[in-house]
Amino acid sequence: MNGVVTAVSRNEVYSFTKPNRESITLLAGLGVEGDVHAGVTVKHRSRVAQDPSQPNLRQVHLIHEELFAELASAGFRVGAGELGENITTRGLDLLGLPVGALLRIGGQAVVEVTGLRNPCLQIDGFQEGLLKQVVGRDGSGRVVRRAGVMSVVKVGGVVRPGDAIRVELPEGVQRPLERV
């Protein structure tokens, strides 16, 4: 299973969207250098309010570019970085990965997938009705989250658009992703 990076984004301040960059630097155990969500402990405001000592399982947010085409067919215009992701991908079934999958990005960086992004109401502030497009229910009534995956940085490195992504699945029983 292989894919490619199509865009990289970061923001030094809290905002819903993140500007695209020529490159980002991943720092082992921290996240994206210069990004407001980098750190060993949680940085998302609602999680900090609950317990600021929680480990940061949301250091790097990845989203699949294919989602943007699906959203466009429903009348929404969304581009790379606009949903707050750090790395936009193409060619990978991010949502189908198990917990613990390793993504080797470019020549050096490695992130470990921790779970699904749980989008909040801010997404409707960006475009009204968008939240229902990225969070819904399947035929059994289970919640389906489609707004990308979260990860932690295992090995740092520079990531650029065009970098290859190689997936390494964990050994043993593979656990499906849940929200983090």
Side-chain angles (χ1 to χ4, degrees), residues 1-23:
M1 199 181 323
N2 296 311
V4 66
V5 174
T6 59
V8 293
S9 311
R10 70 171 169 78
N11 204 341
E12 301 86 6
V13 298
Y14 282 103
S15 71
F16 185 73
T17 62
K18 295 186 181 198
N20 295 157
R21 308 291 181 160
E22 289 184 18
S23 68

Side-chain angles (χ1 to χ4, degrees), residues 103-111 154-159 163:
L103 304 179
R104 296 190 176 277
I105 307 170
Q108 187 175 2
V110 180
V111 299
K154 302 305 272 183
V155 178
V158 176
V159 177
D163 282 350

Side-chain angles (χ1 to χ4, degrees), residues 47-167:
R47 291 168 191 266
V48 169
Q50 291 173 356
D51 178 2
S53 67
Q54 294 176 70
N56 188 2
L57 301 178
R58 300 165 54 105
Q59 294 174 357
V60 181
H61 175 201
L62 297 98
I63 201 162
H64 51 296
E65 182 180 75
E66 293 84 353
L67 176 63
F68 302 155
E70 293 175 34
L71 294 173
S73 69
F76 296 91
R77 279 192 60 187
V78 179
E82 291 185 332
L83 295 182
E85 76 275 9
N86 300 109
I87 300 175
T88 309
T89 69
R90 182 177 54 240
L92 284 181
D93 179 12
L94 291 174
L95 304 178
L97 294 172
V99 172
L102 296 178
L103 304 179
R104 296 190 176 277
I105 307 170
Q108 187 175 2
V110 180
V111 299
E112 180 178 343
V113 177
T114 56
L116 296 168
R117 177 189 183 193
N118 189 36
C120 63
L121 290 174
Q122 287 183 15
I123 205 164
D124 274 344
F126 174 65
Q127 288 185 44
E128 190 170 337
L130 188 55
L131 183 60
K132 287 184 181 178
Q133 298 295 314
V134 296
V135 178
R137 296 201 178 267
D138 65 13
S140 303
R142 289 181 295 228
V143 175
V144 176
R145 293 172 177 85
R146 302 182 333 126
V149 299
M150 307 307 289
S151 64
V152 295
V153 181
K154 302 305 272 183
V155 178
V158 176
V159 177
R160 294 178 178 84
D163 282 350
I165 305 170
R166 290 182 299 114
V167 177

